[in-house]
Amino acid sequence: MNSSQSVGKSSLVHLLCQNQVLGNPSWTVGCSVDVRVHDYKEGTPEEKTYYIELWDVGGSVGSASSVKSTRAVFYNSVNGIILVHDLTNKKSSQNLYRWSLEALNRDLVPTGVLVTNGDYDREQFADNQIPLLVIGTKLDQIHENKRHEVLTRTAFLAEDFNAEEINLDCTNPRYLAAGSSNAVKLSRFFDKVIEKRYFLRDGNQIPGFPDRKRFGGGTLKSLHYD
């Protein structure tokens, strides 16, 4: 996979699951699966270890309808979505809206322009009950003098999706070092995924948890957007 043309999603999934840099990334055809070991509520009396599948879904936002229909198979019973975009590519972040709509509304094909001059209709995801996390890659490829400008431009993504945001370099594990703010955000996200999958049943709310998280079966999807 040419790093200048890809978002670095496969490298991210490998880093999340193996805590190692992926030496020779390649294009994702269809979907690949990796497993992350996660300690739910780490450091508390409720701590428990879970295995979380990350489904690495490939494709392009401009795919033909037949390809989108095939890709929809991977969206069934999703318990969490990681929206991955390339910080060096403005179009990559804009495409997140169309891709998230495809993933969250499997029976609908994204049409029209969802983002116009930075404006976004948040009501499109008002009923979303699936935990989301936004991750920007290739932070290392942005010059220090430009980082503030770029990160300011992409900061609205997390707010629009009601999600936390992580920006990193997939070739450097220190961005997810234990105890770092990124590691804390990641842990909170996976905790929500576990809660949705195992703890909330029949629409009943667990005391202390927001009612937007509901029970569902399946795995975590990591979607990448060119």
Side-chain angles (χ1 to χ4, degrees):
M1 179 184 296
N2 187 309
S3 61
S4 63
Q5 297 176 338
S6 65
V7 77
K9 173 228 358 136
S10 297
S11 296
L12 172 64
V13 171
H14 189 79
L15 182 61
L16 293 179
C17 295
Q18 308 301 329
N19 196 31
Q20 296 177 343
V21 174
L22 182 60
N24 187 28
S26 58
W27 290 105
T28 300
V29 179
C31 176
S32 63
V33 181
D34 207 338
V35 177
R36 174 185 173 89
V37 179
H38 175 66
D39 292 324
Y40 172 73
K41 288 197 172 182
E42 184 176 11
T44 73
E46 294 83 13
E47 180 175 341
K48 185 176 181 180
T49 299
Y50 289 86
Y51 294 88
I52 300 178
E53 288 185 350
L54 274 75
W55 287 38
D56 179 355
V57 182
S60 170
V61 74
S63 298
S65 296
S66 59
V67 177
K68 291 179 180 178
S69 297
T70 301
R71 196 162 54 215
V73 173
F74 304 123
Y75 302 146
N76 291 327
S77 302
V78 61
N79 290 301
I81 296 177
I82 299 177
L83 300 168
V84 187
H85 66 105
D86 179 352
L87 289 168
T88 68
N89 183 348
K90 184 177 181 179
K91 183 178 179 181
S92 176
S93 60
Q94 293 176 334
N95 283 341
L96 289 184
Y97 296 100
R98 295 187 63 186
W99 278 91
S100 54
L101 185 62
E102 176 183 316
L104 295 172
N105 301 275
R106 297 185 299 276
D107 296 329
L108 301 177
V109 177
T111 58
V113 179
L114 301 183
V115 184
T116 304
N117 297 326
D119 294 328
Y120 168 61
D121 182 9
R122 298 179 186 174
E123 292 302 315
Q124 293 179 90
F125 298 109
D127 297 328
N128 173 48
Q129 301 168 354
I130 299 175
L132 300 176
L133 177 66
V134 178
I135 297 184
T137 62
K138 303 185 183 179
L139 182 62
D140 58 308
Q141 296 184 25
I142 302 176
H143 193 277
E144 288 286 351
N145 294 336
K146 292 288 186 178
R147 285 192 181 184
H148 178 73
E149 175 186 340
V150 172
L151 297 184
T152 298
R153 171 171 56 80
T154 61
F156 66 87
L157 290 169
E159 183 176 354
D160 283 346
F161 289 116
N162 190 27
E164 291 196 283
E165 176 188 34
I166 293 175
N167 297 308
L168 47 68
D169 165 18
C170 293
T171 66
N172 193 337
R174 74 176 178 82
Y175 282 95
L176 295 177
S180 66
S181 61
N182 285 344
V184 172
K185 291 177 182 179
L186 196 63
S187 182
R188 278 199 296 255
F189 169 71
F190 285 125
D191 279 358
K192 291 178 182 178
V193 171
I194 295 299
E195 289 159 9
K196 181 182 186 302
R197 173 63 181 86
Y198 293 106
F199 297 158
L200 300 184
R201 302 175 182 275
D202 303 324
N204 294 322
Q205 180 180 345
I206 291 181
F209 292 120
D211 60 10
R212 66 186 296 266
K213 297 191 288 294
R214 291 286 187 267
F215 171 79
T219 57
L220 175 69
K221 308 299 193 256
S222 172
L223 309 178
H224 102 285
Y225 314 104
D226 298 325

